[in-house]
Amino acid sequence: MTQTGTAPAGDARARVERAALELFALRGFDAVTTEEVADAAGISRRTFFRHHPTKADAVWGDFARHVARLAELLRNTDPARPILAAVCRAYVDVNDYGPDDLPVLRQRMRLILTEPALQAHSQLRYAEIDRVVAEYVARRTGEAPTDLLPRLVGASTRAAAMTAFAVWLTDDGLSLREQLTRAFDELTEGFPSLRR
Amino acid sequence: MTQTGTAPAGDARARVERAALELFALRGFDAVTTEEVADAAGISRRTFFRHHPTKADAVWGDFARHVARLAELLRNTDPARPILAAVCRAYVDVNDYGPDDLPVLRQRMRLILTEPALQAHSQLRYAEIDRVVAEYVARRTGEAPTDLLPRLVGASTRAAAMTAFAVWLTDDGLSLREQLTRAFDELTEGFPSLRR
DNA sequence: ACACTAACGGCACTCAGTGCCACCGAACAA
DNA sequence: TTGTTCGGTGGCACTGAGTGCCGTTAGTGT
């Protein structure tokens, strides 16, 4: 596809994502049909489903690149660093958004963590992250990625990250990076705040 | 439906769940229509959706009771026991299935952890558990259930439990209780196996 | 015998997702 | 210019999940 002269048309994907985010935030995920999103983006319903395999996928902008960046961060980690610290560090780094991206990120995460349909769908995206982390841990420890420890690190660090996101959305005190760090510290230290 | 005298007809729910579990395990969740499940259970498609709000819900047998049992176990916990230990203990106890229930449990969990649609739907069920645990932690610590620590305990212990389930399904070495204990030990001790 | 109620089945409808096909514009070849 | 190929697109029809509405039926009480 080469940009014809008239409309930019280059990134119909970006237009769809923007339209989806705004419509879903405004009226709720279930109350907006895919046809309305497609119309708002200036494409047909059929083309919408060519770009995004699912209505829910429209709110996840290039998530594959996000996962790839996390994998690369882990690949480039100093082998001397403890495994768990490396994973947490990569998690924080991959979520280091600039101030300009924060409004969109808030809108996106609020939808994902609030709308039941998106909350359910997110599990499929999270599974990709979990797998990347589990494979990294498996590489470091020599275990199989399907063994308990690699899977456990993947699942629990992801749980911590999503908890940090949820708290960041509601509480306005701390930055996302600070909330992530707080959560990871609790997790890696065995929940020191609970031991009196 | 007119079999008043013949079939017990007492709990059509149980028949639906059995039929759904078998059909989904046999041919895959997406390849089986709700009408087929309804037919196999001897009810109409309309009645199927009266019993189960969703096709996916048919595989979760009385999950509300499961959550209620967990909440009760937590409520009856000795206040002297450390918070995290209490949560893990309750998790192990609520998942103490008898040998007769194990085959059905394996089938159910294999579906939930394998089929993408069920994997996604599971997030909505897990959220109920997370909330119960978070409320317990909040009661013990005096925080709000929406604060970071209560939420983090809920999300991470659940992640550990589901990881234990997944490993239990594939590895045949250890019992479910042992896998759960292994996972919880790693989590509560700050992943000792990763500190060399 | 009569009314009341709760559960059921049938029907029609919306909407997500998919397969099929026809169309159009760009690039390329003769 | 003419013809051909090709990737992106839109239209159309179809399946299947989920829902609202309504008529029917079984069970219960009086």
Side-chain angles (χ1 to χ4, degrees):
Chain A
M1 160 131 165
T2 44
Q3 294 82 328
T4 46
T6 58
D11 42 3
R13 267 182 188 72
R15 286 207 312 279
V16 171
E17 286 164 19
R18 245 198 319 273
L21 236 52
E22 285 183 18
L23 287 174
F24 293 161
L26 191 64
R27 294 164 40 204
F29 181 78
D30 294 325
V32 179
T33 67
T34 57
E35 188 160 16
E36 288 174 304
V37 176
D39 284 352
I43 60 174
S44 74
R45 201 176 76 97
R46 191 63 186 86
T47 302
F48 172 92
F49 282 111
R50 280 203 185 85
H51 294 335
H52 306 281
T54 289
K55 182 184 176 187
D57 279 299
V59 311
W60 298 78
D62 65 347
F63 184 72
R65 181 171 301 279
H66 190 81
V67 175
R69 267 197 303 151
L70 178 64
E72 193 188 348
L73 283 171
L74 289 172
R75 213 177 307 121
N76 297 339
T77 297
D78 177 12
R81 182 184 291 273
I83 296 178
L84 206 49
V87 171
C88 296
R89 169 69 160 264
Y91 249 110
V92 172
D93 285 353
V94 82
N95 286 304
D96 184 25
Y97 295 93
D100 299 345
D101 301 332
L102 285 187
V104 180
L105 180 66
R106 282 195 108 98
Q107 203 174 30
R108 187 200 314 271
M109 294 308 295
R110 185 178 306 274
L111 280 171
I112 291 172
L113 292 172
T114 296
E115 293 282 346
L118 293 175
Q119 199 176 338
H121 178 83
S122 67
Q123 183 79 359
L124 302 177
R125 295 284 89 86
Y126 296 161
E128 306 174 29
I129 301 183
D130 292 5
R131 209 175 50 83
V132 166
V133 173
E135 284 172 355
Y136 171 74
V137 175
R139 262 198 319 273
R140 290 283 303 263
T141 64
E143 297 173 277
T146 55
D147 284 346
L148 180 71
L149 201 61
R151 281 199 195 200
L152 180 60
V153 173
S156 55
T157 53
R158 188 256 295 171
M162 289 308 133
T163 305
F165 263 101
V167 173
W168 171 68
L169 278 182
T170 55
D171 288 11
D172 279 342
L174 301 178
S175 69
L176 175 58
R177 183 191 194 87
E178 289 167 329
Q179 295 285 14
L180 284 169
T181 304
R182 266 219 300 164
F184 286 140
D185 284 350
E186 289 291 335
L187 183 71
T188 59
E189 305 298 332
F191 303 88
S193 299
L194 287 181
R195 310 180 187 283
R196 75 214 125 269
Chain B
M1 163 126 155
T2 46
Q3 65 276 47
T4 35
T6 57
D11 42 3
R13 267 181 188 72
R15 285 208 313 278
V16 170
E17 286 164 18
R18 245 201 315 275
L21 237 50
E22 285 184 18
L23 286 175
F24 294 160
L26 191 64
R27 293 164 40 202
F29 181 79
D30 294 325
V32 179
T33 67
T34 56
E35 188 161 14
E36 289 174 304
V37 176
D39 283 352
I43 60 174
S44 74
R45 200 176 78 94
R46 191 63 187 85
T47 301
F48 172 91
F49 282 111
R50 269 196 261 273
H51 294 336
H52 306 280
T54 289
K55 182 183 175 187
D57 279 298
V59 312
W60 298 78
D62 67 348
F63 184 71
R65 181 171 301 278
H66 191 80
V67 176
R69 266 197 303 151
L70 178 64
E72 193 188 347
L73 283 171
L74 289 172
R75 213 177 307 121
N76 298 338
T77 297
D78 177 13
R81 181 184 292 273
I83 297 178
L84 206 51
V87 172
C88 296
R89 169 68 162 265
Y91 249 112
V92 172
D93 285 353
V94 83
N95 287 304
D96 183 24
Y97 296 92
D100 298 345
D101 300 333
L102 286 186
V104 179
L105 180 66
R106 281 196 109 98
Q107 203 175 30
R108 187 199 315 269
M109 293 310 296
R110 184 179 305 276
L111 281 171
I112 291 173
L113 293 172
T114 296
E115 293 281 346
L118 293 175
Q119 198 178 338
H121 178 83
S122 68
Q123 183 78 0
L124 303 177
R125 296 284 90 84
Y126 295 162
E128 306 174 28
I129 301 181
D130 292 5
R131 208 174 53 83
V132 166
V133 173
E135 283 172 356
Y136 171 73
V137 175
R139 262 198 317 273
R140 290 283 303 262
T141 65
E143 297 174 277
T146 55
D147 284 345
L148 181 71
L149 202 62
R151 281 199 195 198
L152 181 59
V153 173
S156 56
T157 52
R158 187 255 296 170
M162 289 309 134
T163 306
F165 264 101
V167 173
W168 171 67
L169 277 181
T170 55
D171 288 12
D172 279 340
L174 300 179
S175 70
L176 174 59
R177 183 190 194 88
E178 289 167 329
Q179 295 285 12
L180 283 169
T181 304
R182 267 219 301 163
F184 286 140
D185 285 350
E186 289 290 336
L187 183 71
T188 59
E189 305 297 331
F191 302 88
S193 300
L194 288 180
R195 310 180 188 283
R196 74 210 125 272

